[in-house]
Amino acid sequence: MRRLTFYTTLGCHLCEQLEAELARIGIEDIVLERVEIADSDALIARYGTRIPVLADEQGDELERGFERDRLAAWLDIRGLLAFVDESSHAPEKPVGARQVNGRRFLG
């Protein structure tokens, strides 16, 4: 089993997103050691604006692991990447949609 430390806090939707993505693309024998940062002033100071953060057994950390590409690359380097399902990577664009200045318009 491979152990990763997961710095998180209750109600963190990005943390939930990271966990779901890790379950989807990581190998099966990853064990997450969840560390609740709210239990320590030192952890809040260090991770309060950075969570979710994953750390490997050597202490190398990954911020923004909820971003699939970053998580996949980090896992791959450590031999923890099972696979990436590219078909579910990008949301489908609605038919007839166009994007103008970062906003999507239908029709």
Side-chain angles (χ1 to χ4, degrees):
M1 289 196 188
R2 302 287 301 273
R3 186 170 302 278
L4 296 176
T5 304
F6 182 43
Y7 295 96
T8 185
T9 195
L10 184 64
C12 172
H13 72 283
L14 296 176
C15 299
E16 293 169 5
Q17 189 175 338
L18 184 147
E19 278 194 88
E21 199 62 45
L22 183 61
R24 196 172 299 121
I25 67 173
I27 61 174
E28 289 185 17
D29 68 341
I30 293 175
V31 174
L32 279 184
E33 179 183 332
R34 288 170 184 81
V35 176
E36 172 58 61
I37 67 166
D39 293 341
S40 162
D41 289 339
L43 290 175
I44 290 173
R46 182 171 179 182
Y47 295 107
T49 59
R50 297 174 52 208
I51 60 169
V53 174
L54 278 178
D56 64 14
E57 294 165 334
Q58 289 73 38
D60 294 325
E61 295 179 347
L62 170 70
E63 294 180 40
R64 294 191 332 266
F66 53 86
E67 296 174 358
R68 177 180 286 202
D69 294 338
R70 292 175 49 76
L71 178 59
W74 193 82
L75 292 172
D76 192 29
I77 290 169
R78 289 155 182 80
L80 301 173
L81 181 65
F83 71 95
V84 177
D85 180 6
E86 293 298 329
S87 65
S88 65
H89 185 0
E92 286 188 33
K93 205 174 188 181
V95 175
R98 60 186 164 79
Q99 200 160 2
V100 177
N101 295 328
R103 296 186 65 185
R104 189 181 324 184
F105 294 91
L106 300 177

